[in-house]
Amino acid sequence: MPSTPAFRDRVLSRLLAFGPVQARAMFGGYGLYLDGGMFALVSADTLYLKADGRNRAAFEAAGMGAFRPRVGGRRMTMPYYETPPELLEDGDALAEWAQGSVAIAAETGIDHVVQAVVRYAPALLEAAGAVLLLDQV
């Protein structure tokens, strides 16, 4: 199910303290960026924040799971975790959780984007019905 512009706008309004957060459409949802780093995503009207070993335990302790899209008939686990719904009602609490995600996004930088493209491009192309002919490149 695609995300709605109304939910996107609600999330963006809660993140005003961070400055110019940008939402870019992607695969029926939105990637949320600050200073060029993607720190969150919105899918099916659910907010997911970037996580790693520093903040993953907080998401898991709250009973939140990882973003697991189906690509090419397979489930993939992405490094983004669902935020507790009550955070969307409290901009300050959301800002606390999102702060760690912004830091992670800033640290991973372009190397992470390149790695993700290399890792997921074949599955995405396959899901779109395309044929990847690497041996002809």
Side-chain angles (χ1 to χ4, degrees):
M1 163 161 88
S3 294
T4 63
F7 185 80
R8 175 206 60 206
D9 292 345
R10 180 175 170 217
V11 168
L12 289 174
S13 73
R14 298 293 192 260
L15 295 170
L16 288 175
F18 282 104
V21 174
Q22 297 177 345
R24 298 181 191 157
M26 54 181 258
F27 306 109
Y30 301 93
L32 301 184
Y33 295 80
L34 182 65
D35 296 328
M38 186 172 147
F39 73 95
L41 64 86
V42 174
S43 179
D45 284 353
T46 302
L47 174 63
Y48 295 86
L49 293 171
K50 192 170 190 90
D52 69 4
R54 293 170 283 184
N55 63 352
R56 186 178 304 114
F59 290 98
E60 291 172 346
M64 302 292 100
F67 179 59
R68 299 193 64 225
R70 184 177 300 278
V71 178
R74 300 183 316 225
R75 285 257 180 226
M76 296 189 310
T77 301
M78 304 291 287
Y80 295 87
Y81 275 68
E82 184 176 353
T83 57
E86 62 271 13
L87 291 182
L88 291 177
E89 304 306 320
D90 183 349
D92 292 335
L94 178 59
E96 286 181 36
W97 282 61
Q99 191 71 38
S101 299
V102 169
I104 293 166
E107 291 172 10
T108 55
I110 193 67
D111 290 338
H112 180 70
V113 173
V114 170
Q115 290 172 6
V117 168
V118 169
R119 181 175 178 191
Y120 298 120
L124 292 170
L125 290 170
E126 179 184 327
V131 176
L132 184 62
L133 301 172
L134 289 177
D135 58 340
Q136 295 181 5
V137 176

